[in-house]
Amino acid sequence: MTSLLEIKNLVKTYSKQPEPALDDVSIKVEKGEVVVIIGASGSGKSTLLRCINRLVEPNEGEILLEGENILDPTYNVNVLRQNVGMVFQSFNLFSHLTVIKNLTLGLTKVKGIPIDEATNVAMDILERVDLADKADNYPAELSGGQQQRVGIARALAMSPKLMLFDEPTSALDPELVGEIISIMLSLAKEHMTMLVVTHEIGFAREAADRIIYMDKGKIIEEQPGNKLLTDPQHPRTKQFLQRIRK
Amino acid sequence: MVTPYDIIAAFFHNVYLSLVSIYVFFIQYAPLLWQGFLITLQISAFSIMFGVVLGVFAALMKISSNVILRSLATGYIEIFRGTPLVVQILFIAFGYPLLLQNVFNVNLVAGSWNNPTGFWKAIMALSLNTGAYQAEIIRAGISSIPKGQMEAARSVGLTYGEAMRHIILPQAFRIITPPLTNEFINIVLNSSLVILIPVQDLTFWGNQIVSATFRVMETWTIVGGLYFSMTLLLSRLFQYLEEKYRIPGVGFSTKGGTPRLA
Ligand SMILES: Nc1ncnc2c1ncn2[C@@H]1O[C@H](COP(=O)(O)OP(=O)(O)OP(=O)(O)O)[C@@H](O)[C@H]1O
Ligand SMILES: [Mg+2]
């Protein structure tokens, strides 16, 4: 059976950057799996996620989504992006659109769903993230936690096959982190396939089917379940875990 | 003997006489001024409209990754910002048809695209001029929108064009409304230079009336007042639109409040 996502020997070197941001990275993600990536700042985690929905074009390697090479020039990048939802560290809500319009824009413009139907779909999803009462507010009128819930809802609205989370809680005040984590946990329970960059060890421990440690653009260690947290093998993983646990 | 009463009476009599004569003068020449006013209004309105379209296209070309598009936009902007508007107007009025005829062997037909009427030549020159200035304003507006907005739009599956149209430009235009209003006011005022073509705009008729009546002060006061009323209306209109379409968190409020940082 083909994996939902298979990354083979991915290399990305930014121009004017001597060191590669991604150096021969290979990852497999099966349908329904939750894979957590941890690693120091600048280790290439964001670059990896951004390659997967082609916000960044890698230099070498392959990315297969359900067996199809998404880096192929003939592959439609806008179809790819419908299938891959992205949640950003800084939310990136469309600031001139209300919450509900943030969700319906993609449905109407990309999927061509009529606005009434799109609004119904969007309201259902807003209810899931407990924000139905904020549907007509603008992003600036929401708390950080609420904004990130909209960010997740916006990605979910497109019914993606894979959700990418790039440090979804690291721009939030500590007391707001919980509401995002609990939504992500419930997604994990519903077997949403997720690739999550986070330093929320609690989430990793509870939800991860696999945890990957990256450093300097390379995968240093990869372990099933939360073995990487409880029993890290590589000295650099141990060092990193010690540092973030302090 | 002349009493103070006589002086005061004489003063008011003079005022009365001048008011009467200004009134008669105004009634007599109002139709011409009105005609000029309408021409100025039309030229300005068309130039604003075409200028915005040109400005958006030039701005998008200037930020595009395509070298050819970028250099075309840069060339256009630099040329029209770097030469006097008077020269641009004279060139388009007199040089443009000759250029087509002598260099491109086009058969000139008065009133067609290759030799338009003065009215349309005026609009051509003003639109090209303001388009260059607006391009820079719009480009600045676009680059003030956080990068994450484009990334989020693309990651939802919108194309670059759709993202520009639905996400970036609506935010950019809200932010640049004040400098854009300034530019629109400039168009109205600069349109007085089309008298050189000549086009029978407000300034043209002011000039005619002064030559015929020698009423320098009255005429230019009225003409100036008419220009002022147009620009005042324009700035109030855009202030109103800015407030009406203002969105919390996008751009700056004219009613105070803190600007957004990210
Ligand atoms: N657009 C870019 N242009 C040039 N270099 C970049 C760009 N984006 C990232 N880099 C570089 O690539 C390397 C990896 O960056 P990346 O953002 O992927 O790391 P990260 O693991 O997500 O870090 P963080 O935890 O701080 O978000 C860094 O050295 C960074 O400076
Ligand atoms: Mg990052």
Side-chain angles (χ1 to χ4, degrees):
Chain A
M1 206 190 113
T2 53
S3 309
L4 180 75
L5 177 73
E6 185 169 1
I7 298 172
K8 291 185 189 164
N9 311 102
L10 206 64
V11 176
K12 172 66 189 178
T13 309
Y14 289 103
S15 51
K16 298 184 211 128
Q17 210 87 18
E19 300 292 318
L22 290 178
D23 191 358
D24 198 23
V25 170
S26 300
I27 296 176
K28 258 191 196 178
V29 182
E30 306 300 332
K31 193 165 178 301
E33 248 190 334
V34 176
V35 176
V36 170
I37 301 174
I38 60 174
S41 178
S43 56
K45 308 178 300 289
S46 300
T47 304
L48 176 63
L49 292 197
R50 296 154 75 84
C51 284
I52 296 171
N53 73 355
R54 284 183 59 185
L55 285 176
V56 167
E57 295 292 333
N59 305 105
E60 285 171 43
E62 275 179 36
I63 302 177
L64 308 178
L65 187 69
E66 294 182 316
E68 280 190 80
N69 186 6
I70 65 162
L71 299 176
D72 194 284
T74 59
Y75 195 94
N76 184 337
V77 68
N78 300 310
V79 171
L80 162 73
R81 287 171 180 154
Q82 291 177 51
N83 290 325
V84 179
M86 178 97 163
V87 177
F88 299 89
Q89 178 173 4
S90 48
F91 326 138
N92 295 347
L93 299 185
F94 306 134
S95 28
H96 65 304
L97 298 178
T98 57
V99 166
I100 187 86
K101 293 276 177 205
N102 261 273
L103 272 64
T104 54
L105 186 78
L107 292 172
T108 55
K109 300 291 173 215
V110 179
K111 294 209 158 176
I113 297 173
I115 182 70
D116 299 349
E117 199 183 317
T119 305
N120 288 337
V121 172
M123 278 313 287
D124 284 348
I125 292 170
L126 281 182
E127 250 152 55
R128 273 200 60 174
V129 300
D130 207 14
L131 279 177
D133 56 327
K134 298 285 184 193
D136 294 320
N137 283 86
Y138 286 100
E141 298 167 332
L142 305 182
S143 75
Q146 291 170 334
Q147 288 191 44
Q148 191 58 301
R149 272 143 68 191
V150 177
I152 295 173
R154 178 176 64 184
L156 287 177
M158 303 300 285
S159 9
K161 293 175 175 156
L162 169 68
M163 285 279 282
L164 307 174
F165 292 83
D166 192 0
E167 307 199 36
T169 58
S170 57
L172 295 175
D173 290 338
E175 75 267 21
L176 299 176
V177 169
E179 56 189 75
I180 301 304
I181 295 297
S182 77
I183 289 173
M184 290 169 64
L185 285 174
S186 77
L187 283 176
K189 276 211 191 73
E190 292 160 26
H191 306 293
M192 170 61 81
T193 315
M194 295 156 72
L195 191 51
V196 183
V197 171
T198 186
H199 292 149
E200 287 301 319
I201 295 303
F203 173 80
R205 194 181 298 121
E206 196 157 333
D209 293 306
R210 218 140 26 94
I211 303 178
I212 293 172
Y213 171 64
M214 279 181 73
D215 191 21
K216 300 203 179 88
K218 281 195 163 69
I219 292 183
I220 302 295
E221 185 173 350
E222 177 171 354
Q223 300 287 2
N226 54 26
K227 178 160 187 283
L228 189 127
L229 301 175
T230 53
D231 185 19
Q233 299 300 307
H234 200 285
R236 262 149 71 193
T237 318
K238 287 180 192 169
Q239 228 177 24
F240 176 75
L241 287 171
Q242 254 165 18
R243 253 190 298 139
I244 63 168
R245 275 173 176 151
K246 271 208 213 98
Chain B
M1 200 188 114
V2 181
T3 67
Y5 296 105
D6 295 326
I7 295 172
I8 292 169
F11 174 76
F12 279 107
H13 188 65
N14 282 341
V15 168
Y16 168 74
L17 285 182
S18 9
L19 282 179
V20 167
S21 80
I22 287 174
Y23 178 73
V24 170
F25 164 77
F26 187 75
I27 290 297
Q28 191 178 352
Y29 288 102
L32 290 181
L33 289 171
W34 177 244
Q35 200 181 314
F37 177 83
L38 288 181
I39 294 289
T40 292
L41 208 62
Q42 288 170 37
I43 289 178
S44 306
F46 276 118
S47 304
I48 286 174
M49 269 165 24
F50 294 142
V52 172
V53 175
L54 268 174
V56 169
F57 276 106
L60 291 178
M61 282 164 68
K62 183 123 196 221
I63 58 173
S64 108
S65 51
N66 183 317
V67 180
I68 298 170
L69 293 181
R70 219 165 47 223
S71 344
L72 279 175
T74 308
Y76 161 61
I77 293 168
E78 295 297 339
I79 287 171
F80 279 88
R81 278 196 320 181
T83 54
L85 176 56
V86 170
V87 172
Q88 292 165 23
I89 289 173
L90 292 174
F91 183 87
I92 285 173
F94 306 109
Y96 162 74
L98 285 181
L99 180 83
L100 291 177
Q101 186 178 42
N102 299 345
V103 180
F104 297 98
N105 291 320
V106 175
N107 268 337
L108 294 190
V109 180
S112 78
W113 67 273
N114 55 43
N115 194 13
T117 59
F119 178 81
W120 288 107
K121 280 175 178 165
I123 291 169
M124 256 170 88
L126 288 170
S127 303
L128 284 167
N129 178 266
T130 185
Y133 285 94
Q134 287 186 41
E136 286 297 274
I137 298 174
I138 293 166
R139 190 179 61 85
I142 291 173
S143 44
S144 77
I145 306 299
K147 266 205 162 59
Q149 294 286 312
M150 178 54 97
E151 288 180 350
R154 298 308 304 275
S155 77
V156 170
L158 296 178
T159 62
Y160 178 83
E162 288 169 335
M164 269 294 163
R165 151 112 176 59
H166 297 290
I167 306 298
I168 307 299
L169 287 178
Q171 293 183 49
F173 269 99
R174 283 183 168 83
I175 289 170
I176 61 175
T177 304
L180 219 47
T181 309
N182 264 343
E183 184 52 31
F184 294 164
I185 287 174
N186 278 341
I187 298 176
V188 173
L189 301 182
N190 288 341
S191 77
S192 62
L193 292 172
V194 303
I195 189 176
L196 294 165
I197 294 179
V199 172
Q200 304 186 339
D201 73 332
L202 185 50
T203 302
F204 173 90
W205 284 117
N207 203 34
Q208 295 287 309
I209 293 167
V210 169
S211 316
T213 65
F214 300 108
R215 287 187 179 261
V216 179
M217 257 170 39
E218 296 90 333
T219 309
W220 292 124
T221 305
I222 294 170
V223 168
L226 287 171
Y227 276 109
F228 185 68
S229 66
M230 278 189 263
T231 58
L232 189 70
L233 199 76
L234 206 57
S235 79
R236 285 297 130 88
L237 173 71
F238 279 95
Q239 250 170 39
Y240 167 78
L241 290 176
E242 196 185 349
E243 263 321 301
K244 182 166 158 125
Y245 292 104
R246 207 173 68 77
I247 287 170
V250 182
F252 308 98
S253 169
T254 45
K255 292 185 173 160
T258 43
R260 189 171 73 111
L261 294 177

